[in-house]
Amino acid sequence: MSKGGETGDRSPRPHYPVTPDSRYFVVRGRLWRMSNPTLDSAEREKLVKNLMTARRAVATAKRAQDREAEADAHAAVDLAKRALGERGPVWWDDGAPDYNRHMARNTPYADWFAALG
């Protein structure tokens, strides 16, 4: 899983709304970029597995208070998220800006988000 409960098949848990253009899901009012839908399922599965391994390594390093291992694990998380398209250059090509980590109410998705109640 990636941030916010996203699974390897790009399907966030049902209680996380997805923007109409399927670029973001929303957790506590904040937009989180979805993974690239053009990744083939085998590649996506491999990347999600790498992400979960890296996240476990972060937790292990924190428990051990090993700052060097923790930094390495955070770098591995970032690498996996970039490969999934959740960070770094956007995966869409229509020139729309990236609103990853922005509050939905402060973006062009504000009216859509407000209508969710």
Side-chain angles (χ1 to χ4, degrees):
M1 281 189 193
S2 18
K3 182 75 179 177
E6 189 180 338
T7 61
D9 68 358
R10 290 185 77 256
S11 303
R13 293 180 188 157
H15 60 280
Y16 294 136
V18 175
T19 58
D21 58 11
S22 298
R23 291 179 179 168
Y24 306 94
F25 62 99
V26 183
V27 179
R28 291 187 302 276
R30 190 171 304 277
L31 299 171
W32 294 96
R33 195 185 319 160
M34 300 282 286
S35 56
N36 185 340
T38 64
L39 292 172
D40 69 61
S41 60
E43 179 69 5
R44 182 182 318 284
E45 185 176 328
K46 180 186 94 174
L47 293 170
V48 170
K49 184 181 266 189
N50 292 348
L51 176 60
M52 298 314 297
T53 298
R55 285 185 167 164
R56 284 190 298 276
V58 168
T60 299
K62 282 184 175 187
R63 282 191 300 276
Q65 297 181 354
D66 184 340
R67 291 185 184 186
E68 186 175 336
E70 184 180 347
D72 290 345
H74 279 296
V77 167
D78 186 61
L79 187 65
K81 290 185 81 57
R82 287 175 181 279
L84 283 162
E86 296 174 13
R87 291 185 184 160
V90 298
W91 43 260
W92 52 88
D93 59 6
D94 63 2
D98 186 15
Y99 294 106
N100 194 34
R101 299 183 180 185
H102 286 71
M103 296 304 291
R105 69 177 181 265
N106 298 327
T107 70
Y109 299 99
D111 290 341
W112 165 82
F113 184 66
L116 296 177

